[in-house]
Amino acid sequence: MSEKLQRLSKLGVSIWLDDLSRKRLRTGDLQERIDQDCVVGVTTNPAIFSKAIGNGQDYTDQVRQLAAANTDVDEATFAMIIDDVRDAADVLMPIYDRTHGQDGRVSIEVDPRLSAKTTETIEQAQQLWDRVDRPNTMIKIPATQQSLPAVTEATARGISVNVTLIFSVPQYRKVIDAYLQGLEEALERGIDISQIHSVASFFVSRVDTLVDSKLDELGTDAAAELRSRLGVANARLAYEEYENSLTSDRWKALAAVGANRQRPLWASTGVKDPKLPETLYVDELAVQDTVNTMPEATLRAAAEQSQAQADAVTTQYSQAHACFDALAKLGIDFDAVAAQLLDEGVEKFEVAWNELLENVQAALTQAK
């Protein structure tokens, strides 16, 4: 087992793999990542499944069965995804049991085309939860304004939610409120809230990609000094908000009756700029009570190169605030940046979902 990843885990970082495929399951690769790389969870998204189903032969038999039954493309797509998520959940169940539900989790995302449809998102979250039928599942719901009520209602029904596409602290505050409100409503309905878990997925590298492009347009020395610093600073301030939320009377009342913390999850942790260290968004965001979901390349880099030794977040709040003060002085509106990133994030997932449907439809047609 990687000594560097063991050290990261001991700092309180749960390492989740941002990838899943039937090949990974059938070859035992997921179990190897658990045994060798300290992986204790899995996240998925439409792009991951589009790649897995579109490029692999591991779905051929199921595609033939679905085609023979004249299954429509949407149902066929979810049938394949759900089978993979269920099997991954079974592999991770020992970790779920050992960590009392904190880890051993597999995330499955609602159709991203529903991001502006609250009722439909709630209905599909319930359907996915019921169909996967594993307690260590998490349903991914985007943190759009229209989907936040779905986060609350899903939580109130006892569904564990991974709230995704978070790009700013103000947006994160709304996510925290949605989760707490869901827990409060679950209590009113007589649901055991100790069985409900949640993570808040804060995207990192996409922040740097967009902000850096704006800094490069300015072309000043002051702008150059801020390059590739806002993604980490933004995530650090999210963790500050997380810590602050745990001091509220509202949270303390819920914790007293068994509520679980909604841990921050660092997503989009693969660096986009080849000039940056491959483990930038791992080492600079190492802190307890967090999840870092890594694509394969980042996981490999962290296993070989991670320099994480201690808490890299809570001692850097002043520096993070200073980064945002400097950004504002340069005239860059981060609220506008975050809004653009959210819109683009939803759009990217919709594009990937449509590509996934096209891949599945082509496979179904060929199988007939």
Side-chain angles (χ1 to χ4, degrees):
M1 184 175 286
S2 164
E3 180 182 336
K4 296 182 185 298
L5 293 177
Q6 282 183 302
R7 187 171 62 227
L8 190 65
S9 297
K10 288 178 181 177
L11 290 174
V13 179
S14 292
I15 299 170
W16 290 8
L17 177 66
D18 192 28
D19 190 59
L20 183 62
S21 67
R22 194 157 297 179
K23 180 178 181 181
R24 195 181 285 278
L25 289 162
R26 286 182 171 176
T27 61
D29 181 79
L30 177 57
Q31 186 62 57
E32 287 183 13
R33 301 286 69 75
I34 293 168
D35 296 338
Q36 298 176 14
D37 296 326
C38 303
V39 167
V40 292
V42 168
T43 52
T44 67
N45 60 48
I48 286 170
F49 280 118
S50 181
K51 178 181 177 182
I53 295 174
N55 296 340
Q57 300 300 313
D58 298 281
Y59 300 87
T60 301
D61 290 343
Q62 187 174 14
V63 167
R64 287 173 180 160
Q65 293 169 5
L66 293 165
N70 292 316
T71 309
D72 69 54
V73 65
D74 288 271
E75 171 56 28
T77 300
F78 271 119
M80 288 186 278
I81 291 173
I82 286 168
D83 280 357
D84 283 359
V85 168
R86 186 185 295 120
D87 289 346
D90 288 343
V91 173
L92 287 157
M93 187 64 74
I95 298 171
Y96 170 84
D97 291 336
R98 187 177 72 241
T99 62
H100 306 289
Q102 178 168 274
D103 288 311
R105 295 280 177 176
V106 186
S107 294
I108 179 172
E109 187 150 0
V110 297
D111 185 335
R113 297 172 298 180
L114 303 179
S115 63
K117 299 177 180 179
T118 305
T119 301
E120 290 89 338
T121 297
I122 294 168
E123 291 173 353
Q124 190 169 95
Q126 185 70 63
Q127 291 168 3
L128 292 174
W129 181 258
D130 292 341
R131 288 183 63 181
V132 176
D133 194 25
R134 295 294 186 273
N136 54 332
T137 308
M138 276 188 166
I139 308 302
K140 286 180 75 174
I141 298 176
T144 61
Q145 192 63 40
Q146 298 92 332
S147 289
L148 286 173
V151 172
T152 294
E153 177 58 24
T155 303
R157 294 183 182 190
I159 296 171
S160 293
V161 177
N162 176 342
V163 191
T164 189
L165 291 178
I166 307 172
F167 293 98
S168 72
V169 173
Q171 184 191 12
Y172 179 40
R173 290 192 189 105
K174 294 178 182 179
V175 170
I176 293 172
D177 181 71
Y179 176 58
L180 297 183
Q181 184 179 341
L183 291 176
E184 290 162 348
E185 292 183 15
L187 270 178
E188 292 175 0
R189 300 179 193 186
I191 292 174
D192 180 5
I193 65 171
S194 70
Q195 300 304 304
I196 303 172
H197 288 257
S198 182
V199 293
S201 293
F202 220 88
F203 281 56
V204 188
S205 67
R206 293 188 191 183
V207 171
D208 277 338
T209 299
L210 182 54
V211 172
D212 285 358
S213 69
K214 295 180 179 297
L215 292 170
D216 290 346
E217 288 176 4
L218 294 175
T220 64
D221 290 342
E225 286 185 12
L226 283 179
R227 228 181 165 279
S228 304
R229 295 178 62 190
L230 269 296
V232 168
N234 193 41
R236 285 171 171 167
L237 295 186
Y239 194 82
E240 183 182 39
E241 187 67 27
Y242 164 71
E243 287 198 312
N244 289 339
S245 73
L246 299 180
T247 66
S248 71
D249 291 338
R250 187 182 186 191
W251 166 251
K252 289 176 181 177
L254 288 165
V257 289
N260 295 293
R261 298 177 178 185
Q262 183 189 52
R263 291 182 296 165
L265 178 151
W266 311 133
S268 184
T269 56
V271 296
K272 304 295 191 291
D273 185 343
K275 298 177 183 177
L276 297 175
E278 290 181 276
T279 62
L280 175 68
Y281 304 124
V282 176
D283 294 351
E284 295 298 311
L285 294 175
V287 64
Q288 66 178 357
D289 289 339
T290 56
V291 178
N292 194 306
T293 185
M294 308 180 197
E296 180 84 21
T298 304
L299 181 66
R300 296 270 62 78
E304 298 169 2
Q305 304 169 28
S306 175
Q307 299 298 313
Q309 300 283 348
D311 174 357
V313 174
T314 64
T315 59
Q316 302 298 319
Y317 291 153
S318 295
Q319 184 186 67
H321 283 287
C323 282
F324 275 86
D325 290 342
L327 189 73
K329 288 179 180 178
L330 291 174
I332 295 176
D333 182 353
F334 190 79
D335 288 339
V337 167
Q340 180 179 336
L341 286 169
L342 178 58
D343 290 343
E344 290 177 352
V346 171
E347 182 180 358
K348 286 177 181 178
F349 278 174
E350 287 181 357
V351 168
W353 186 259
N354 288 329
E355 290 177 353
L356 172 57
L357 293 178
E358 291 174 5
N359 288 336
V360 173
Q361 184 61 67
L364 290 171
T365 301
Q366 186 177 2
K368 290 183 178 180

